[in-house]
Amino acid sequence: MSITSTPATPATTLPAKAKARWAPLLLSAGLALCLTAADAQTREKKTKTKKTKPPATQARAKPSVKVTHQPSPSEESRAERERRLYRECQGRPNAGACLGYTRKP
């Protein structure tokens, strides 16, 4: 028996232009696959770690806080403001800050 060796055929390679065309597509497909896999993992973690509070703590709500406005000592009163606007808005158009303050009723 005689064993003859045949020359190995060279592997066919893609031309440089074809490689340039496929490289961005493969990279973007791989990136999209990684992002969807990471998103699925975070969804799983969120559903697993979601704990329900005991009924006693759910019923107790924090009391609401009432905020009261403390006027500053230099702040003008409503009557003082109206007097000032009637004084400043004489002869001006009835618009903007002077709306309703051009003439005394």
Side-chain angles (χ1 to χ4, degrees):
M1 255 199 207
S2 92
I3 299 177
T4 60
S5 65
T6 58
T9 57
T12 57
T13 58
L14 294 174
K17 286 185 180 180
K19 284 182 184 179
R21 243 183 281 151
W22 285 99
L25 292 174
L26 291 174
L27 286 174
S28 61
L31 180 63
L33 183 65
C34 290
L35 290 176
T36 54
D39 188 38
Q41 287 177 347
T42 55
R43 281 189 196 149
E44 277 183 26
K45 286 181 183 178
K46 284 182 182 179
T47 55
K48 287 181 182 178
T49 59
K50 199 173 195 178
K51 295 179 182 178
T52 57
K53 293 182 180 178
T57 58
Q58 284 181 347
R60 262 191 314 155
K62 292 183 179 179
S64 64
V65 177
K66 183 157 181 144
V67 178
T68 56
H69 175 69
Q70 298 291 328
S72 69
S74 63
E75 190 173 309
E76 64 185 357
S77 68
R78 176 175 237 146
E80 290 171 339
R81 179 179 184 273
E82 287 184 3
R83 274 188 253 126
R84 180 180 55 83
L85 284 172
Y86 280 124
R87 183 179 65 244
E88 291 176 357
C89 291
Q90 288 177 348
R92 294 212 174 123
N94 194 15
C98 291
L99 185 61
Y101 292 102
T102 53
R103 294 186 201 122
K104 287 197 176 190

